[in-house]
Amino acid sequence: MSKDDIYAGSQGPSPFEFNERVAAVFDDMIGRSVPGYRELIGRLAQLCRYYYQPDSCIYDLGCSTGNLGLALCREMAGDTFRMVAVDSSRPMLDRYRERLPEGSCRESIELVCGDIREQPLQNASVVVITLTLQFLPLADRDALLARVYRALRPGGVLLLTEKIQQTDPALELLQQDFYYRFKKERGYSELEISQKREALENVLIPETVGAHQRRLEEAGFRCYDLWFKWFSFASLLARKETP
Ligand code: GEK
């Protein structure tokens, strides 16, 4: 795995992009930037299996290099399933394609290069959006979740994971402090942490857990749970009920 040292040297101010350089170090970057990432991906794969309905589709919106798809292939252990994995970064999808093992796994996962806001969604039993809604303009988030709700079969779920913020300033400072501790403990320098934070300014726009819950309700979800939380990261499961 290539080491992420993108922000180790002094940088000019340029916004963060999912380009070739980022794709090349993505696995190291995400593992050292998202607390509990491996646990999260493993459990999301198990949840996909748990909620998957025969002859339906699992969508992974913002799939990057395919960690969820690969974990799901292991979880399904040769059983039939269908997943559509979408990302707008060609370099991310190139890596995903290289990593997909030959055989049933390659046949089960369709890779789509495109914007998740334009991806047609239908006959879904599971829709996964991990750390990607946060990169959409705020104005576009409601419409995507409303489309997800419409595309889900009754009993189907949305699995939504996001970096989150707090409304209380002291709690916001606390979670930032613990997040920087986490990154320092994983070898990022103060310069790397601050330059990455600046690059993500106005690119990654976090919201509160409350704002996400309100959006789920507006989209039509009546049953949801915050199943995983680490200071500034939260994972929600929302189920479409049977009429
Ligand atoms: C994982 N889910 O490892 N349309 C399509 N893709 C997009 C868009 C968009 N509008 N905006 C951003 N992306 C993954 C991790 S990473 C999170 C997701 C991170 C893509 C972008 O190209 C990138 O691959 C992904 O969303 C976000 O389970 O790097 O913090």
Side-chain angles (χ1 to χ4, degrees):
M1 191 194 300
S2 306
K3 186 167 188 258
D4 168 27
D5 58 3
I6 292 177
Y7 292 96
S10 199
Q11 315 265 318
S14 60
F16 185 83
E17 278 177 49
F18 291 101
N19 54 25
E20 178 61 50
R21 237 179 129 200
V22 168
V25 299
F26 179 76
D27 279 348
D28 179 63
M29 174 186 278
I30 197 129
R32 292 199 289 138
S33 305
V34 177
Y37 178 73
R38 301 281 152 208
E39 166 73 14
L40 174 72
I41 291 293
R43 295 297 169 203
L44 287 174
Q46 290 173 355
L47 286 166
C48 286
R49 172 158 205 153
Y50 188 93
Y51 283 103
Y52 180 65
Q53 299 177 20
D55 303 317
S56 72
C57 186
I58 301 171
Y59 289 91
D60 183 11
L61 303 181
C63 59
S64 299
T65 59
N67 287 324
L68 179 66
L70 295 180
L72 183 61
C73 285
R74 289 191 291 275
E75 195 59 39
M76 294 303 238
D79 287 357
T80 308
F81 71 98
R82 188 170 119 74
M83 178 189 250
V84 175
V86 187
D87 205 287
S88 52
S89 164
R90 175 78 59 190
M92 291 284 194
L93 285 180
D94 288 345
R95 277 189 170 65
Y96 196 153
R97 197 165 290 108
E98 285 161 19
R99 295 171 82 203
L100 268 181
E102 292 285 347
S104 66
C105 187
R106 203 166 269 211
E107 283 151 30
S108 304
I109 303 182
E110 181 189 344
L111 302 187
V112 178
C113 187
D115 193 311
I116 59 173
R117 289 168 291 184
E118 273 137 42
Q119 173 63 36
L121 304 170
Q122 58 194 345
N123 188 27
S125 52
V126 186
V127 178
V128 187
I129 311 179
T130 305
L131 303 166
T132 300
L133 193 70
Q134 60 198 24
F135 291 108
L136 298 189
L138 282 169
D140 294 347
R141 297 180 187 183
D142 291 1
L144 177 62
L145 283 218
R147 281 203 307 119
V148 167
Y149 183 81
R150 284 198 296 275
L152 279 172
R153 288 181 173 190
V157 289
L158 165 65
L159 303 171
L160 175 68
T161 303
E162 288 275 282
K163 187 151 196 261
I164 51 123
Q165 65 172 21
Q166 299 283 342
T167 37
D168 179 81
L171 284 181
E172 178 61 25
L173 278 179
L174 175 81
Q175 73 174 26
Q176 276 178 21
D177 181 322
F178 276 77
Y179 186 47
Y180 298 147
R181 284 175 204 231
F182 175 89
K183 292 191 84 170
K184 270 196 229 156
E185 285 159 9
R186 273 144 194 86
Y188 283 117
S189 68
E190 302 246 346
L191 180 68
E192 284 177 292
I193 296 171
S194 69
Q195 292 194 138
K196 174 93 179 271
R197 194 190 55 224
E198 278 162 32
L200 283 171
E201 200 111 337
N202 303 320
V203 176
L204 188 171
I205 303 161
E207 296 174 272
T208 61
V209 169
H212 285 296
Q213 290 173 332
R214 275 193 294 282
R215 181 174 295 112
L216 289 173
E217 285 179 17
E218 274 158 28
F221 291 100
R222 296 288 167 266
C223 171
Y224 51 82
D225 184 31
L226 177 65
W227 70 273
F228 193 61
K229 169 94 167 55
W230 187 99
F231 292 106
S232 41
F233 290 86
S235 244
L236 290 142
L237 179 157
R239 197 186 70 226
K240 179 165 175 171
E241 286 174 282
T242 315

